[in-house]
Amino acid sequence: MIEDKNQSRTKLSELGEFGLINHLTQNFKIKNSTTIKGVGDDAAVIENKENQILVTTDLLIEGVHFDLSYMPLKHLGYKAVVVNLSDVYAMNGNATQITVSIAVSNRFPLEALEELYDGIYTACKTYNIDLVGGDTSTSTKGMLISITAIGEVKKEDVVYRNTAKPNDLLVITGDIGAAYLGLQVLEREKRVFEVNPNSQPDLTNYSYLVERQLKPEARKDIVKLLSDLGVKPTAMIDISDGLSSEILHICTQSKVGCNVYEEKIPLDQQVISTCEEFDLNSTTIALSGGEDYELLFTIAQEDFPKIKGNPHLTVIGHMTDESIGANLVTRAGQQIKLTAQGWNALSKD
Amino acid sequence: MIEDKNQSRTKLSELGEFGLINHLTQNFKIKNSTTIKGVGDDAAVIENKENQILVTTDLLIEGVHFDLSYMPLKHLGYKAVVVNLSDVYAMNGNATQITVSIAVSNRFPLEALEELYDGIYTACKTYNIDLVGGDTSTSTKGMLISITAIGEVKKEDVVYRNTAKPNDLLVITGDIGAAYLGLQVLEREKRVFEVNPNSQPDLTNYSYLVERQLKPEARKDIVKLLSDLGVKPTAMIDISDGLSSEILHICTQSKVGCNVYEEKIPLDQQVISTCEEFDLNSTTIALSGGEDYELLFTIAQEDFPKIKGNPHLTVIGHMTDESIGANLVTRAGQQIKLTAQGWNALSKD
């Protein structure tokens, strides 16, 4: 419904593989002094003498991870980069380089790839990232994108998932649940459009939700904020699969339990109102929704005064002895075991 | 025709994503001291204080880059790793880590992925590589593999493509053309099998060709050999797309020309005899065949005595002024302009 059917089309075969790579990457300028050699040789060359290197990778497949009927290609390019950077920030690091591999079937003209790379370019600019390599290929069906992000962190600053301690506070950035609801809104509009192709979607009441789904941001700012506040998390992870699943990752890997308080979970007003409209439980959405790309971390109790009252950070619970397990404490004071129901499981309903 | 139809099948959904990753990677042990943290967090952590980091990535798609009707999954896993390592060696570096992302449709059971990872494991063991991350996903069609390889190189040792000089000698490792012919043999056997499913392929006369196609090796040994000989190439590239295409990369990026002598191009006896059988010109195959994963490099003339007579290395020509262009000098002494016809173009015939 967002697609422009009248766009001019240039066949990819007119350019050839190397022509295509040059064409798509010519505007990407090197921004990091650690990038010695980017696109154009057998491998990128990165210099890094004092820091540890962080490497993370994600694969996005049309029909599995995204739907081009409501995901504009520019947003897709932007999001594909952001979800990878988020993993670097979740290690308390600074993202510096990416490689981008794409494969497309012959239904995509050059202009489609230009739009995709426009989004990749914007993300690289926003987050100060160098594109240093990649691969382009044809696919037998649809589009797929594989991105690897590289970052750096001082040895003493790296934060893992497996180092939370009992009595640490559990902290979340921003608010959650919106990205998943944005997807529900977009899928509803798609069904409406399929029934009546002349319908125009009115997304005014869901603007925040849709933006969180289509153009998520990674919390680079939090890494700086924590550094400025003098707080080093004891464990950290990004929220890609849903709060519940991520809490369980920290608990399992750190061999601790936790109590998470339902009333503390930060929700945007649009999340609350849209949950009412869709007849969904907002806590379930917050716990299982996913794709928020907020950070979830634990801190020592003595660091609490440093973060207290910060509008970006909410304490939602505390870690316990492993034997207690991972629990949600409801508004009614009831304890419920957390289960790892990510958004993949949820979206199959 | 190689597939075993009687294998037991375990559905991937029984394991879940994290169970699957754990299951497939549990036997991969860390081998490099630079690998601080491998699989299991938001990102891998790599320490590298003195060297430059090399990063390269490749995307392999079923039906485009491989055909499972004659490519056993174990070989596919091995080859997918090797083609990436080859890019690191082509920078005169040492490969140390990989990330592996895979997506498979629901036609693949767990046992298929185990076979694939068996090949990945063998390649990691052979080349001393740590698997440090990845992503697993479902695909809507077929299998795809995206691998990123990371390596290291001393700042003063890195070799680019764009630094060849006029009068440098052009050197190739091993012999070429065999991998492409191996593919032709396998595709012929596939067509025979499709007509007569009871036929048993006899590949005795093509054993070297088929091995070069199904189980190529990357020339890690050459990086060591050159170091031992005290030779630093002036430019280097690996031969993935075909000799002609790679020579043109060096010439274009280095702004030089070259004369390559047809009679010097190293061919295996099976390449010569199979070209005769298939009525193909062996020089065309050598120039355009691709997938050999040998190294192509240039050296200063004064280094010639150091490599002279080495059985792994063949001087096939020399670089010239850019104005001369890139030429093949035939056995008859005729000069022909080299064209960039990679194996992709060739295989469409």
Side-chain angles (χ1 to χ4, degrees):
Chain A
M1 59 206 189
I2 293 158
E3 209 176 346
D4 175 8
K5 303 288 185 195
N6 297 319
Q7 60 194 336
S8 64
R9 294 172 65 93
T10 307
K11 281 194 182 167
L12 293 181
S13 53
E14 290 172 26
L15 283 153
E17 181 180 353
F18 302 109
L20 177 61
I21 293 173
N22 286 340
H23 179 83
L24 295 173
T25 61
Q26 62 194 349
N27 293 323
F28 289 74
K29 301 288 175 232
I30 299 292
K31 298 182 259 318
N32 291 283
S33 63
T34 56
T35 308
I36 308 300
K37 177 84 181 184
V39 177
D41 214 303
D42 295 288
V45 181
I46 297 168
E47 185 152 79
N48 216 302
K49 290 197 172 163
E50 285 165 29
N51 297 332
Q52 290 181 333
I53 312 292
L54 303 167
V55 180
T56 178
T57 192
D58 260 312
L59 187 59
L60 300 175
I61 298 172
E62 186 183 355
V64 178
H65 302 97
F66 58 89
D67 182 336
L68 291 177
S69 63
Y70 50 71
M71 176 59 109
L73 282 161
K74 186 176 171 177
H75 286 73
L76 176 62
Y78 191 88
K79 182 170 175 174
V81 175
V82 162
V83 303
N84 270 280
L85 303 184
S86 179
D87 282 322
V88 174
Y89 303 137
M91 304 296 287
N92 207 29
N94 177 39
T96 43
Q97 288 93 5
I98 55 168
T99 65
V100 176
S101 294
I102 51 167
V104 287
S105 70
N106 55 16
R107 86 169 204 262
F108 293 94
L110 175 62
E111 289 70 19
L113 291 191
E114 285 175 344
E115 255 194 81
L116 182 78
Y117 268 79
D118 195 10
I120 293 170
Y121 180 84
T122 306
C124 284
K125 203 174 161 193
T126 306
Y127 291 92
N128 206 45
I129 303 298
D130 292 326
L131 175 77
V132 296
D135 199 4
T136 62
S137 169
T138 52
S139 78
T140 50
K141 189 182 170 193
M143 176 182 280
L144 59 97
I145 308 170
S146 175
I147 295 188
T148 297
I150 296 151
E152 57 191 9
V153 64
K154 279 189 201 148
K155 191 176 177 174
E156 60 272 24
D157 288 343
V158 63
V159 177
Y160 295 105
R161 296 177 179 178
N162 62 357
T163 40
K165 296 275 175 294
N167 301 318
D168 284 351
L169 299 177
L170 185 63
V171 185
I172 190 171
T173 64
D175 55 74
I176 58 171
Y180 176 76
L181 283 179
L183 183 64
Q184 301 313 304
V185 168
L186 289 165
E187 291 198 334
R188 183 176 68 174
E189 293 305 323
K190 184 186 173 186
R191 288 191 297 270
V192 169
F193 178 81
E194 282 166 355
V195 173
N196 176 9
N198 293 318
S199 68
Q200 284 294 319
D202 180 7
L203 301 174
T204 320
N205 291 335
Y206 315 106
S207 55
Y208 179 67
L209 309 181
V210 169
E211 186 173 349
R212 292 281 280 179
Q213 170 59 223
L214 294 184
K215 193 168 175 288
E217 300 292 349
R219 300 307 305 256
K220 180 182 182 174
D221 60 323
I222 298 296
V223 175
K224 184 173 182 305
L225 174 69
L226 290 172
S227 168
D228 290 348
L229 294 173
V231 175
K232 185 189 170 188
T234 54
M236 185 151 62
I237 193 168
D238 77 323
I239 303 179
S240 51
D241 286 340
L243 178 59
S244 185
S245 166
E246 313 304 356
I247 290 172
L248 286 166
H249 278 307
I250 291 182
C251 286
T252 308
Q253 292 203 20
S254 297
K255 296 187 172 49
V256 294
C258 75
N259 283 328
V260 179
Y261 296 86
E262 183 182 18
E263 62 187 353
K264 301 288 188 189
I265 296 173
L267 303 175
D268 184 82
Q269 188 50 47
Q270 277 193 8
V271 168
I272 295 167
S273 61
T274 308
C275 275
E276 280 173 13
E277 183 193 338
F278 280 64
D279 198 19
L280 292 166
N281 180 310
S282 61
T283 302
T284 305
I285 297 304
L287 287 172
S288 305
E291 290 205 283
D292 293 308
Y293 300 105
E294 296 293 343
L295 294 174
L296 177 74
F297 58 90
T298 54
I299 61 169
Q301 293 228 2
E302 60 258 38
D303 281 336
F304 177 64
K306 298 178 189 169
I307 69 154
K308 192 179 168 185
N310 190 296
H312 295 290
L313 308 176
T314 309
V315 177
I316 59 169
H318 59 86
M319 313 318 279
T320 63
D321 191 77
E322 190 179 13
S323 61
I324 309 294
N327 305 288
L328 178 75
V329 182
T330 67
R331 287 191 183 84
Q334 206 186 348
Q335 278 205 353
I336 302 174
K337 280 255 170 294
L338 284 176
T339 54
Q341 191 182 35
W343 72 275
N344 277 322
L346 200 74
S347 62
K348 276 175 206 139
D349 289 347
Chain B
M1 60 207 187
I2 293 157
E3 210 177 345
D4 175 7
K5 303 288 184 193
N6 296 319
Q7 58 192 337
S8 63
R9 294 172 65 94
T10 307
K11 280 193 185 169
L12 293 182
S13 53
E14 289 172 26
L15 282 152
E17 182 181 351
F18 302 111
L20 177 61
I21 293 173
N22 286 340
H23 179 82
L24 294 174
T25 61
Q26 63 193 349
N27 292 324
F28 288 74
K29 302 286 176 234
I30 298 291
K31 296 180 262 312
N32 291 284
S33 64
T34 56
T35 307
I36 308 299
K37 177 83 180 185
V39 177
D41 215 301
D42 295 288
V45 181
I46 297 168
E47 184 152 80
N48 216 303
K49 290 198 172 160
E50 285 165 30
N51 296 333
Q52 291 181 332
I53 312 293
L54 303 167
V55 180
T56 178
T57 192
D58 261 311
L59 186 60
L60 300 175
I61 298 172
E62 186 183 354
V64 178
H65 302 97
F66 57 89
D67 182 335
L68 290 175
S69 63
Y70 49 71
M71 176 60 110
L73 282 161
K74 186 175 170 177
H75 286 74
L76 176 62
Y78 191 88
K79 183 171 176 175
V81 175
V82 163
V83 302
N84 270 281
L85 304 184
S86 179
D87 282 322
V88 174
Y89 302 136
M91 305 295 288
N92 207 28
N94 178 39
T96 43
Q97 288 93 7
I98 55 168
T99 66
V100 177
S101 293
I102 50 168
V104 287
S105 69
N106 56 16
R107 87 169 203 262
F108 293 94
L110 175 63
E111 288 71 19
L113 292 191
E114 285 175 345
E115 254 193 84
L116 182 78
Y117 268 79
D118 196 8
I120 293 171
Y121 180 85
T122 305
C124 284
K125 202 172 162 196
T126 305
Y127 290 92
N128 207 44
I129 305 296
D130 293 325
L131 176 76
V132 296
D135 199 5
T136 62
S137 168
T138 52
S139 78
T140 50
K141 189 182 170 195
M143 174 182 281
L144 60 98
I145 308 170
S146 175
I147 295 189
T148 297
I150 296 151
E152 58 191 7
V153 63
K154 280 190 201 149
K155 191 176 178 173
E156 61 272 23
D157 288 344
V158 64
V159 177
Y160 295 105
R161 294 177 181 178
N162 61 357
T163 39
K165 296 275 175 293
N167 301 318
D168 284 352
L169 299 176
L170 185 63
V171 186
I172 190 171
T173 64
D175 55 74
I176 58 170
Y180 175 77
L181 282 180
L183 183 63
Q184 302 312 306
V185 168
L186 289 165
E187 292 198 333
R188 184 178 67 174
E189 292 305 323
K190 184 185 173 188
R191 288 191 297 270
V192 170
F193 179 80
E194 281 165 357
V195 175
N196 177 9
N198 293 318
S199 70
Q200 284 294 318
D202 180 6
L203 300 174
T204 320
N205 292 335
Y206 314 105
S207 55
Y208 178 66
L209 310 181
V210 169
E211 185 172 350
R212 291 282 279 179
Q213 170 59 225
L214 296 184
K215 193 167 175 287
E217 300 291 350
R219 299 307 304 256
K220 180 182 183 177
D221 59 324
I222 298 296
V223 175
K224 184 173 184 304
L225 175 67
L226 290 173
S227 167
D228 290 348
L229 295 174
V231 175
K232 185 189 172 191
T234 54
M236 185 150 62
I237 194 168
D238 76 323
I239 303 180
S240 52
D241 285 341
L243 178 59
S244 185
S245 166
E246 312 304 359
I247 290 173
L248 286 167
H249 278 307
I250 290 183
C251 286
T252 308
Q253 293 203 21
S254 299
K255 298 186 171 49
V256 294
C258 75
N259 284 328
V260 179
Y261 296 88
E262 183 181 18
E263 63 185 353
K264 302 288 189 189
I265 297 173
L267 304 175
D268 185 82
Q269 187 52 46
Q270 275 193 9
V271 168
I272 296 166
S273 61
T274 308
C275 276
E276 280 172 15
E277 184 192 337
F278 280 64
D279 198 20
L280 293 166
N281 181 310
S282 61
T283 301
T284 306
I285 297 305
L287 287 173
S288 305
E291 291 206 282
D292 292 308
Y293 301 105
E294 295 293 342
L295 294 173
L296 177 74
F297 57 90
T298 54
I299 60 168
Q301 292 228 4
E302 60 258 37
D303 280 337
F304 177 64
K306 298 179 187 167
I307 69 154
K308 193 180 166 183
N310 190 296
H312 295 289
L313 307 176
T314 308
V315 177
I316 59 168
H318 58 86
M319 311 320 277
T320 63
D321 190 77
E322 191 179 13
S323 60
I324 309 293
N327 306 287
L328 179 75
V329 182
T330 67
R331 287 192 183 84
Q334 208 186 345
Q335 278 204 354
I336 302 174
K337 281 254 168 295
L338 284 176
T339 54
Q341 192 181 37
W343 71 275
N344 278 321
L346 200 75
S347 63
K348 278 176 203 138
D349 291 345

